[in-house]
Amino acid sequence: MDLFPWVGFFLFCSFWSVIFCDQEVRLLTSSQLDKSFSRTLTTGFLSISCGGSTSFNDSSNILWTPDTTYISTGKTTSISYNDGTSLLNVSARFFPDSRGRKCYRIPVDNATSLVLVRAKFVYKNYDGLGNPPTFSVSLGTAIAATINLTKDDPWTEEFLWTVNKDTLPFCLIATPNGGSPVISTLELRPLPQGAYTSGMEDVSDKLLRKSYRIDCGYTNESIQYPLDPYDRMWDADRSFTPFHVATGFKIQLSFNQSSLMEKPPASVLQTARVLARRNMLTYNLLLDALGDYYIILYFAGVLPVFPSFDVFINGDLVESNYKINSSEISALYVTRKGISSLNITLRSISFYPQINALEVYQMVDIPSEASSTTVSALQVIQQSTGLDLGWQDDPCSPSPWDHIGCKGSLVTSLDLSGVNFRSISPTFGDLLDLKKLDLHNTSLAGEIQNLGSLQNLEKLNLSFNHLTSFGEELESLVSLQILDLQNNSLQGLVPDSLGELENLHLLNLDNNKLQGPLPESLNKETIEIRTSGNLCLTFATAICDDASSTPTIETPQVTIVPTKKHNVHNHLAIILGVVGGATLALLIICLSVLLHMTKRRYEVSHTAREEMDIKNWGAAKIFSYKEIKAATGNFKEVIGKGSFGSVYRGKLSDGKSVAVKVRLDKTQLGADSFINEVHLLSKIHHQNLVSLEGFCHESKHQILVYEYLAGGSLADHLYGTNSQKTSLSWVRRLKIAVDAAKGLDYLHNGNEPRIIHRDVKCSNILLDTEMNGKVCDFGLSKQVTQADATHVTTVVKGTAGYLDPEYYSSQQLTEKSDVYSFGVVLLELICGREPLSHSGTPDSFNLVLWAKPYLQADAFEIVDGSINGTFDIESMRKTAYIAVKSVERDASLRPNIAEVLAELKEAYDIQLRFLESI
Ligand SMILES: *[C@@H]1O[C@H](CO)[C@@H](O)[C@H](O)[C@H]1NC(C)=O
Ligand SMILES: *[C@@H]1O[C@H](CO)[C@@H](O)[C@H](O)[C@H]1NC(C)=O
Ligand SMILES: *[C@@H]1O[C@H](CO)[C@@H](O)[C@H](O)[C@H]1NC(C)=O
Ligand SMILES: *[C@@H]1O[C@H](CO)[C@@H](O)[C@H](O)[C@H]1NC(C)=O
Ligand SMILES: *[C@@H]1O[C@H](CO)[C@@H](O)[C@H](O)[C@H]1NC(C)=O
Ligand SMILES: *[C@@H]1O[C@H](CO)[C@@H](O)[C@H](O)[C@H]1NC(C)=O
Ligand SMILES: *[C@@H]1O[C@H](CO)[C@@H](O)[C@H](O)[C@H]1NC(C)=O
């Protein structure tokens, strides 16, 4: 009974071998087909010889290239070793510096959906130290595998990566005491669309790491390209358990090759393992790690009999009575969670259990990326340090950047102590998940600012700086537990509001210039306060200890520091610094005197209204609030919004359209400042500056009335909604750029006092109906008053993406800051994208960082697609050149606006001539 099937089987075989005669011919045709298919496919192959120095074709005619274009760190070596049959000679790159990630950045064609990434690691004692390294490798944000060259040398890994970026970061990450990571080859192979997804739930957040790929029943060398056109490595079926008989059946496959997404190659399906004597065929496979696995079993109806069987995986019946049909390829896709070994068993129902190939993959979770706001904020911070901190790709995964700590994909700590910042830039306020911020010894001066949004911050270290004022934002840090302000120059009183921080338990104020009583609100058992090395700092109830009040010989002084707090109309707050033997009583007296003085000042400014009317206002008219209300139809149509308030559309009684800008209460200037500013604005008339028609300053209202420009803003045209968006031609863009540069040139050079715009951006360049450009919103401007002044020191936010990186360290805005911002506008005109984009790869978030290298290399593929082919190369080159110069980090290397204007005019003329010539 046991013999019968075999007899029948062999009969079948001889019978078929006769019939198969003409199919042998087809076998040839089929492998020829494979080959021609492969030849076209190799174009998608990328084979990198790590540490290699020349390109070469291997025996399969695959082109290998050196790795120098993909990585810039590490050292190279060549390794010779005997693989048992022959002497091999490979190159390698190794990384003796064990800090951080060492990444290959490999371009991937996003038209492919899935790639096979294969890496080979060889140690073979190339360094003579006899110390094989252990390290991790990552793909994108995922740690994909741990390489232990003690265990296996050489070591090969294969991964299947779902393409979601145009660059694949492949990194080697050292482990502590693990030795120097080393790599020999890295290969990328596109896989068929849609493959390796069947039977899996979430494909997108999974990376597949190959555990096994077995060509069942095949015992020779492993199969690769060109037999598998996708160049997967199919290993021979070596681990025969005692009771199994392997049979290699070389039978022509005449069935539909594309019925399976994975397209297993014909030569793999031609062989099978078939059970002969027992009714169970088992593969016992050890797995590297406890984890989730993806299993594919391939079956091909290559035999003249058509078996059916039950399929068990680790004892679970996953398919009962599975049938293999004649001339059909089929596959079973199974996932198993939390397993560390695999038992694949086929239990016969009729004929013999049979399997042609199998693949087993570990499913590795891909951690999500940090938010783009965080990434671009960190990039701006890196840019502002002027240092290369090596911050690339994702800050948290696969391993956190240097100086950064993460929880999941959240950046929770940042330690930049020792970097020269000078001030806390607004960008720090975007790192919303921070729990710990260490900026000690970073040369910070002035007030503590821009951190108010960090609601999760628990530890803030600003010690060893030159800070002079607490600022007003500390009280917003509701989670704050430890505040270290020691060794600064903080002056005056400790703000009462610190007592509102309920979680605060350590406040270190050692070695500052603070004095006076500590606020009672801090007099709690839960807070430890360190105060030594100040002038005289105790709770009012305690007696000032002479020893702690460092005696100085300074004369008593009163310092008036401008601040914004709770003072709508003016910005004078008072800190009294009474040094020496001044008593509290004296303090109070001084305070009340000063308060009185301020109040009087305030009254004075309000009576300025009458004086105003007599001033010479140029062309600007004075409007009453009633007139403004009528003109705007009671503020009906909002056409713009900003941090200063809203802009409304209006129509004056003479029919003229106007834009009415109403300042919010909190952005209102002191009466004097407002009048000064209006006075200044009313004198500025230039065809490329939006002109002031008039203003209203009445009962708490500060309103500016501007000419209305019907063409909208440049930003509307570039990025607006469909109705606003127009496809601006290159010549049109250049004309607008020339116009705007003329306007800025007038502000910088054509006018006394000189004016720095401070907020140049696309939405501040307006267009009239003839598409002439005009710069607006220079109301925010500060005049450069002193004849010798080279800068203005202000607290200004500017607009993210446009702000001069030098501003962060210098706190000084100059005309060159406007040039920087205008350079960003030029880059936008060239590339047709916004300065900060929150899509794409982290490398492309920041327009300046992204575009610069391309433009410097005359690589115009980043030019806005909608003007492609319509611009003169020379005109583009000139514009790109001046744009890139304008965004130089070092302000002294930037051109001035007049130089920018001259270049743009030339670029414009060239483009005009080009258009005439075609
Ligand atoms: C590799 O082979 C291709 C054609 O098969 C040839 O064009 C190329 O020059 C070769 N490259 C090297 C480095 O040998
Ligand atoms: C291996 O290659 C290196 C550099 O290409 C060469 O110097 C060395 O002689 C080669 N060794 C062998 C055994 O081929
Ligand atoms: C591929 O990349 C190009 C440019 O990088 C982009 O325009 C295109 O939309 C991308 N295609 C897909 C399918 O992602
Ligand atoms: C590497 O493998 C060797 C041999 O299997 C083992 O003894 C060693 O502990 C492994 N090293 C690490 C870091 O896992
Ligand atoms: C095994 O493979 C080698 C080369 O890869 C080939 O020359 C040999 O004929 C193969 N042997 C069998 C039995 O297929
Ligand atoms: C092969 O199979 C694919 C997918 O099942 C199908 O779309 C295609 O039409 C088939 N081709 C032939 C020649 O049967
Ligand atoms: C493998 O699984 C089969 C079916 O569940 C079982 O009979 C067999 O004992 C298992 N083999 C091993 C080695 O665990």
Side-chain angles (χ1 to χ4, degrees):
M1 187 63 213
D2 209 25
L3 257 171
F4 172 70
W6 276 104
V7 174
F9 178 65
F10 283 117
L11 282 175
F12 261 124
C13 283
S14 23
F15 171 66
W16 282 95
S17 61
V18 176
I19 297 184
F20 274 13
C21 277
D22 77 344
Q23 305 228 343
E24 282 296 316
V25 182
R26 265 209 259 166
L27 174 66
L28 273 177
T29 343
S30 147
S31 68
Q32 272 169 347
L33 263 176
D34 270 3
K35 270 182 192 142
S36 68
F37 184 37
S38 333
R39 212 165 290 137
T40 51
L41 255 187
T42 47
T43 50
F45 284 18
L46 177 60
S47 310
I48 302 173
S49 147
C50 305
S53 50
T54 51
S55 297
F56 62 93
N57 288 319
D58 69 9
S59 57
S60 306
N61 208 23
I62 291 176
L63 176 68
W64 290 80
T65 51
D67 60 352
T68 41
T69 43
Y70 308 105
I71 194 160
S72 54
T73 59
K75 297 187 169 166
T76 65
T77 185
S78 80
I79 303 174
S80 296
Y81 68 98
N82 198 320
D83 77 339
T85 55
S86 55
L87 189 67
L88 297 176
N89 198 2
V90 296
S91 62
R93 183 175 289 272
F94 64 103
F95 305 93
D97 162 26
S98 60
R99 283 178 332 116
R101 324 168 184 160
K102 311 298 178 211
C103 298
Y104 282 85
R105 289 202 174 64
I106 310 166
V108 271
D109 180 359
N110 65 0
T112 54
S113 53
L114 187 70
V115 283
L116 170 79
V117 180
R118 178 164 47 228
K120 188 170 176 183
F121 309 90
V122 183
Y123 173 67
K124 295 292 180 188
N125 203 16
Y126 71 89
D127 55 3
L129 300 175
N131 192 10
T134 297
F135 52 93
S136 305
V137 295
S138 68
L139 272 79
T141 54
I143 300 265
T146 302
I147 314 301
N148 181 348
L149 288 166
T150 308
K151 217 186 214 167
D152 256 326
D153 184 8
W155 182 296
T156 303
E157 284 283 348
E158 284 190 352
F159 307 102
L160 307 189
W161 186 64
T162 306
V163 176
N164 57 6
K165 292 270 163 62
D166 51 14
T167 309
L168 168 65
F170 180 95
C171 310
L172 285 75
I173 303 166
T175 51
N177 305 319
S180 310
V182 59
I183 182 169
S184 264
T185 63
L186 191 50
E187 298 164 82
L188 257 70
R189 308 285 185 250
L191 289 175
Q193 181 118 19
Y196 300 101
T197 54
S198 309
M200 236 188 305
E201 287 150 26
D202 274 325
V203 197
S204 58
D205 62 349
K206 294 278 191 293
L207 174 76
L208 297 179
R209 175 191 179 209
K210 185 189 100 175
S211 302
Y212 293 95
R213 191 183 296 117
I214 300 177
D215 179 0
C216 302
Y218 179 72
T219 53
N220 210 351
E221 305 288 309
S222 53
I223 282 178
Q224 238 179 296
Y225 179 84
L227 287 175
D228 183 351
Y230 297 98
D231 198 18
R232 286 163 290 200
M233 200 185 272
W234 297 85
D235 293 321
D237 188 359
R238 291 186 198 285
S239 56
F240 300 108
T241 45
F243 302 107
H244 295 154
V245 171
T247 319
F249 293 96
K250 281 238 169 183
I251 293 174
Q252 161 55 19
L253 299 171
S254 56
F255 29 63
N256 189 344
Q257 278 286 93
S258 57
S259 61
L260 288 183
M261 296 287 198
E262 288 72 26
K263 301 200 170 59
S267 42
V268 166
L269 295 177
Q270 277 167 355
T271 59
R273 184 195 280 218
V274 182
L275 175 90
R277 284 190 232 151
R278 291 211 168 176
N279 70 339
M280 278 204 307
L281 187 162
T282 298
Y283 276 87
N284 270 309
L285 304 170
L286 266 180
L287 300 172
D288 252 15
L290 182 72
D292 301 347
Y293 288 82
Y294 180 51
I295 302 144
I296 308 178
L297 310 177
Y298 296 97
F299 307 96
V302 290
L303 298 181
V305 288
F306 305 107
S308 67
F309 42 81
D310 290 339
V311 180
F312 294 89
I313 288 184
N314 287 1
D316 303 333
L317 178 66
V318 293
E319 197 71 32
S320 79
N321 200 9
Y322 189 78
K323 287 193 181 65
I324 300 178
N325 294 323
S326 164
S327 297
E328 225 177 78
I329 307 177
S330 59
L332 272 179
Y333 303 88
V334 184
T335 57
R336 273 292 168 274
K337 295 198 165 157
I339 58 172
S340 59
S341 67
L342 202 53
N343 169 350
I344 301 168
T345 296
L346 313 181
R347 194 169 65 193
S348 140
I349 289 179
S350 62
F351 294 109
Y352 319 105
Q354 169 206 330
I355 182 164
N356 296 58
L358 65 91
E359 294 185 79
V360 179
Y361 292 92
Q362 186 180 0
M363 296 192 282
V364 180
D365 284 330
I366 301 177
S368 50
E369 297 180 350
S371 82
S372 54
T373 317
T374 302
V375 179
S376 54
L378 289 169
Q379 283 177 343
V380 171
I381 290 169
Q382 162 163 263
Q383 195 191 6
S384 72
T385 63
L387 305 171
D388 180 9
L389 302 173
W391 285 359
Q392 273 189 296
D393 305 315
D394 191 82
C396 293
S397 304
S399 60
W401 285 342
D402 288 348
H403 309 283
I404 280 176
C406 293
K407 184 151 198 269
S409 63
L410 305 179
V411 172
T412 52
S413 84
L414 177 61
D415 176 352
L416 289 173
S417 53
V419 175
N420 191 8
F421 279 116
R422 314 257 267 281
S423 75
I424 303 170
S425 82
T427 318
F428 283 95
D430 288 341
L431 301 172
L432 297 177
D433 307 306
L434 277 188
K435 287 183 187 298
K436 203 172 144 195
L437 176 61
D438 188 346
L439 294 177
H440 84 266
N441 187 22
T442 51
S443 311
L444 301 179
E447 71 172 28
I448 301 169
Q449 58 184 2
N450 294 323
L451 297 178
S453 53
L454 305 184
Q455 303 287 299
N456 296 307
L457 197 63
E458 291 168 2
K459 294 181 187 164
L460 177 59
N461 186 346
L462 299 174
S463 61
F464 297 91
N465 282 303
H466 317 295
L467 293 164
T468 49
S469 155
F470 287 94
E472 291 137 38
E473 295 184 357
L474 286 177
E475 67 190 72
S476 322
L477 304 179
V478 291
S479 306
L480 202 60
Q481 297 172 5
I482 299 179
L483 177 57
D484 190 347
L485 296 172
Q486 63 173 307
N487 293 75
N488 273 287
S489 308
L490 294 169
Q491 297 169 11
L493 295 160
V494 176
D496 194 39
S497 56
L498 286 184
E500 287 163 24
L501 299 175
E502 286 183 359
N503 299 304
L504 191 66
H505 58 74
L506 177 62
L507 174 61
N508 192 339
L509 299 170
D510 286 350
N511 302 320
N512 276 287
K513 297 178 180 160
L514 296 163
Q515 60 193 313
L518 280 166
E520 274 308 306
S521 59
L522 284 171
N523 199 354
K524 296 187 254 195
E525 272 187 5
T526 50
I527 306 183
E528 176 188 347
I529 305 180
R530 301 192 188 150
T531 58
S532 65
N534 281 285
L535 298 179
C536 173
L537 193 60
T538 56
F539 286 107
T541 48
I543 294 164
C544 201
D545 172 7
D546 270 346
S548 76
S549 60
T550 338
T552 61
I553 332 166
E554 286 172 61
T555 47
Q557 59 180 2
V558 178
T559 320
I560 300 176
V561 188
T563 111
K564 299 171 278 185
K565 190 173 189 184
H566 303 316
N567 201 338
V568 176
H569 283 275
N570 214 322
H571 35 263
L572 285 184
I574 297 118
I575 294 172
L576 289 175
V578 184
V579 184
T583 62
L584 192 61
L586 179 61
L587 244 153
I588 291 166
I589 293 168
C590 290
L591 200 67
S592 46
V593 167
L594 269 159
L595 276 176
H596 183 66
M597 280 165 61
T598 328
K599 200 168 161 224
R600 270 193 46 202
R601 234 186 113 110
Y602 166 65
E603 280 161 1
V604 168
S605 19
H606 250 234
T607 58
R609 169 88 172 98
E610 287 102 72
E611 287 168 44
M612 230 159 54
D613 301 69
I614 344 170
K615 277 205 176 175
N616 169 18
W617 288 112
K621 270 178 65 182
I622 304 170
F623 294 99
S624 69
Y625 190 63
K626 231 165 118 187
E627 283 172 294
I628 299 281
K629 250 175 112 166
T632 57
N634 204 10
F635 305 101
K636 212 170 68 200
E637 191 185 343
V638 180
I639 53 174
K641 261 199 162 81
S643 53
F644 53 83
S646 297
V647 181
Y648 302 87
R649 174 138 188 209
K651 200 168 211 158
L652 299 180
S653 48
D654 62 2
K656 193 168 190 175
S657 283
V658 288
V660 174
K661 186 167 135 184
V662 181
R663 275 187 196 275
L664 281 176
D665 263 8
K666 66 173 187 206
T667 62
Q668 289 203 349
L669 301 167
D672 288 353
S673 310
F674 183 72
I675 291 164
N676 278 334
E677 178 157 339
V678 170
H679 188 63
L680 172 76
L681 293 181
S682 67
K683 291 196 299 190
I684 298 176
H685 295 286
H686 186 272
Q687 65 197 20
N688 299 115
L689 295 172
V690 175
S691 63
L692 184 73
E693 296 288 330
F695 67 96
C696 162
H697 186 228
E698 213 174 77
S699 53
K700 289 196 196 157
H701 298 293
Q702 292 184 344
I703 296 172
L704 295 168
V705 180
Y706 290 98
E707 72 175 304
Y708 174 76
L709 291 178
S713 76
L714 179 54
D716 294 340
H717 286 268
L718 288 176
Y719 322 114
T721 55
N722 284 343
S723 65
Q724 297 166 312
K725 202 166 162 168
T726 56
S727 67
L728 291 172
S729 63
W730 179 236
V731 74
R732 184 68 79 192
R733 292 178 198 217
L734 280 172
K735 170 67 166 52
I736 295 168
V738 166
D739 285 349
K742 281 181 183 165
L744 290 175
D745 183 42
Y746 183 79
L747 290 178
H748 289 186
N749 305 314
N751 195 52
E752 196 53 53
R754 286 144 51 210
I755 289 173
I756 297 171
H757 186 294
R758 306 201 308 173
D759 200 13
V760 176
K761 55 181 171 181
C762 281
S763 53
N764 278 341
I765 297 172
L766 303 184
L767 303 175
D768 65 15
T769 44
E770 271 108 51
M771 303 287 269
N772 296 307
K774 294 189 178 205
V775 177
C776 74
D777 213 16
F778 41 95
L780 269 171
S781 326
K782 272 281 183 295
Q783 353 168 0
V784 182
T785 36
Q786 308 97 305
D788 63 345
T790 54
H791 69 266
V792 183
T793 304
T794 49
V795 190
V796 63
K797 271 215 150 163
T799 300
Y802 291 94
L803 196 49
D804 181 359
E806 272 212 344
Y807 167 75
Y808 292 116
S809 54
S810 67
Q811 287 288 293
Q812 293 171 352
L813 281 178
T814 66
E815 283 103 329
K816 292 288 180 72
S817 311
D818 281 353
V819 171
Y820 181 92
S821 309
F822 188 63
V824 177
V825 170
L826 293 178
L827 292 178
E828 291 181 75
L829 289 173
I830 293 171
C831 304
R833 56 153 280 192
E834 292 181 79
L836 296 179
S837 122
H838 291 164
S839 56
T841 61
D843 293 338
S844 66
F845 285 172
N846 185 308
L847 174 60
V848 171
L849 302 180
W850 172 73
K852 233 168 140 174
Y854 284 96
L855 296 180
Q856 277 166 335
D858 275 1
F860 295 138
E861 67 252 37
I862 60 164
V863 168
D864 189 350
S866 72
I867 55 171
N868 242 341
T870 65
F871 59 83
D872 177 274
I873 289 285
E874 192 49 36
S875 160
M876 180 58 72
R877 192 174 288 144
K878 254 187 182 315
T879 315
Y881 171 80
I882 202 70
V884 167
K885 291 294 282 178
S886 301
V887 295
E888 279 285 351
R889 216 195 99 78
D890 183 346
S892 65
L893 298 178
R894 294 176 208 152
N896 61 39
I897 194 71
E899 288 162 343
V900 176
L901 174 58
E903 286 289 320
L904 286 177
K905 276 180 176 162
E906 280 182 33
Y908 176 60
D909 289 343
I910 294 170
Q911 178 68 9
L912 279 181
R913 282 202 299 277
F914 169 75
L915 293 177
E916 280 159 12
S917 74
I918 55 174

